[in-house]
Amino acid sequence: MSVIASRFGITTVAAVAAGMVLLSAGPAVAGREIGSGSQGTGGDTHTSGDAKGDGTISAAVVFDRSKNGSGSRAGAVTPVGNWSPPACWYAPKYSPAQLQKHLEPIWEAGSTGYGWDADQRDRYVKGHPYKDFNKDKAGDGYWWDSYVNKSYPPGWDSCNKPYFWVDKGDPPPADAPEAVTPEILAGLAYAEIRVPDTDVEMSPTQNQTVNLPTWAWLDKAQFKPVSVTASVPVLDIEATTTATPVSLKLEPGTADAELHPASGECPINKDGSIGTPYTKGSGDRTPPCGLTYLRASGSDGSYEFKATVTWKINWEGSGGAGGELPDGTFGTTQDVTVQEVQSINR
């Protein structure tokens, strides 16, 4: 039982002591989770913890999504490279009285074993190193605990320090490098970013035609920067992560096609749009953003056309902190039928 307590947190032990079966729930009960409620597809403010009647400092990280992307088809970006959001972090959780209220019933239940209970009392009550839950410092600091990314990426269980005390205004201990900072908040906000669907407008709008350029573009009204702010109110720190569209990549789904431009990367225009809408009489011109299919897809087949927008990600945080995070991509695919017709009136 002591191994469970040290690795997965006191909350798990309390539940076991109460006779609850938690094995199916996994280690999520160890701490609060990022994204445990809304998935961020709307403009809202949401905390990563649960509201508690006992006054526990549960809202360790608060997300403001009022400037996030919205809609049923909005989605999270995929980071370029092997970057991932913070797997776990430390943040305030208890006042002295709250920690006492949380721990003493666990010790009294006795199901965690005499040795472990005695060690805990020695640590938090008898002065090695804390005395009487630090009640003499009530109002001057917080007990910190670990919080876990609910997707459990590699390293999610590395925040296994027991509860520790930090005075207000003091930095967390050096042996807790995962202690929450504006940079960590920026990474958590990155995971909550939602961008609109890559719904490319094309001309021709229906079946495409061999050797006839297909124009592609994105409306400037739809593709604009989105952002999420993550904060820890009790520490008065925050970070805002912003995603800005920068380019559209076209993939025709076949090698028998020419891309315009040849790289398939259509940069964003100064007005925020991507590409140029087709206008009557432009059928023989090469579109600034588009493609030309060179072979028909067959009477009973189609090509899988993919359009992916790249989003530039940066952040700004408390104390003038800030920087760049890896670009993110978000795209959609659609089946395109290409006909063997040499000319068409648009």
Side-chain angles (χ1 to χ4, degrees), residues 38-281:
S38 166
Q39 290 303 306
T41 56
D44 65 351
T45 300
H46 173 70
T47 69
S48 65
D50 303 318
K52 286 197 160 189
D54 62 4
T56 299
I57 306 165
S58 61
V61 178
V62 177
F63 296 103
D64 179 356
R65 304 186 183 87
S66 60
K67 297 180 180 179
N68 206 7
S70 61
S72 60
R73 297 176 65 187
V77 296
T78 299
V80 175
N82 59 1
W83 182 90
S84 62
C88 66
W89 61 98
Y90 296 104
K93 183 174 180 183
Y94 290 114
S95 70
Q98 290 162 357
L99 184 62
Q100 179 182 15
K101 184 178 180 180
H102 178 64
L103 288 181
E104 284 189 339
I106 301 172
W107 301 338
E108 292 170 1
S111 59
T112 52
Y114 174 80
W116 184 83
D117 292 346
D119 288 344
Q120 292 289 294
R121 287 190 177 93
D122 193 53
R123 174 177 174 81
Y124 296 109
V125 180
K126 297 183 178 180
H128 302 100
Y130 306 110
K131 184 176 181 179
D132 196 20
F133 300 99
N134 267 8
K135 287 181 182 177
D136 62 333
K137 292 188 174 184
D140 296 329
Y142 304 101
W143 288 103
W144 288 44
D145 189 22
S146 62
Y147 291 72
V148 178
N149 188 322
K150 72 172 185 177
S151 63
Y152 308 113
W156 68 266
D157 57 348
S158 61
C159 298
N160 52 22
K161 284 179 61 65
Y163 300 122
F164 59 91
W165 178 267
V166 179
D167 287 331
K168 289 182 179 179
D170 284 355
D175 63 348
E178 302 89 352
V180 67
T181 62
E183 186 172 5
I184 286 178
L185 291 176
L188 298 178
Y190 187 119
E192 298 295 311
I193 288 285
R194 299 295 181 268
V195 297
D197 184 30
T198 310
D199 192 7
V200 176
E201 296 189 62
M202 302 174 68
S203 181
T205 57
Q206 301 298 323
N207 294 340
Q208 308 305 305
T209 303
V210 170
N211 294 324
L212 183 69
T214 297
W215 292 59
W217 66 94
L218 288 170
D219 187 351
K220 65 181 179 181
Q222 183 180 12
F223 282 85
K224 56 186 178 182
V226 299
S227 64
V228 171
T229 297
S231 63
V232 179
V234 297
L235 297 180
D236 195 27
I237 62 173
E238 67 175 26
T240 297
T241 299
T242 301
T244 304
V246 292
S247 66
L248 168 68
K249 182 178 181 180
L250 304 179
E251 297 177 71
T254 174
D256 294 315
E258 292 181 354
L259 293 168
H260 315 298
S263 64
E265 296 275 354
C266 303
I268 193 167
N269 301 320
K270 290 183 179 180
D271 65 356
S273 64
I274 297 179
T276 301
Y278 173 83
T279 56
K280 188 175 181 179

